[in-house]
Amino acid sequence: MDTGLHYKGFTRSKGLELFAKYAWDASDFAKKELTRYSSDPGQATAYMIGQQALIKLRNLATEKLKDKFELKDFHYQILLQGSSPLDYLEDHINR
């Protein structure tokens, strides 16, 4: 939706149509989400990229540490870095 609104030129009504068709949601929630996507270009895309990166790092840490891996320690290490670039987080987790 984010890309459609800001790159492909979707209108609000087109966005609501797609929410109803593919997310089966024509409620106020869909309208609020569409407003959020409209008002903050790239946020949803950046969120998904970050989510995928964190899953990759968690899998990497799980593979390297095996039985020593603790999810709460992984979360602590990620949160300890604050708002930082993904490359920095990857370096930190690798160390």
Side-chain angles (χ1 to χ4, degrees):
M1 189 62 65
D2 190 7
T3 303
L5 288 168
H6 299 290
Y7 180 72
K8 295 185 175 188
F10 288 3
T11 62
R12 183 172 178 81
S13 54
K14 175 71 173 179
L16 290 172
E17 176 188 321
L18 292 172
F19 259 109
K21 184 174 181 179
Y22 295 106
W24 307 293
D25 191 348
S27 69
D28 282 345
F29 177 75
K31 292 175 185 173
K32 290 175 184 175
E33 284 296 284
L34 193 60
T35 299
R36 183 173 66 89
Y37 292 144
S38 297
S39 64
D40 195 3
Q43 184 275 330
T45 305
Y47 182 91
M48 182 58 69
I49 290 168
Q51 179 187 31
Q52 291 173 342
L54 289 173
I55 290 169
K56 175 186 164 193
L57 292 175
R58 185 180 65 200
N59 290 339
L60 177 70
T62 303
E63 288 172 18
K64 285 186 176 183
L65 295 173
K66 301 196 185 312
D67 291 341
K68 294 180 182 178
F69 177 80
E70 292 285 337
L71 187 58
K72 65 181 176 113
D73 294 333
F74 174 78
H75 284 173
Y76 177 79
Q77 291 301 321
I78 293 293
L79 294 172
L80 185 66
Q81 305 314 306
S83 180
S84 60
L86 295 175
D87 287 343
Y88 182 83
L89 283 177
E90 186 173 359
D91 287 345
H92 179 73
I93 294 301
N94 279 323
R95 279 185 265 121

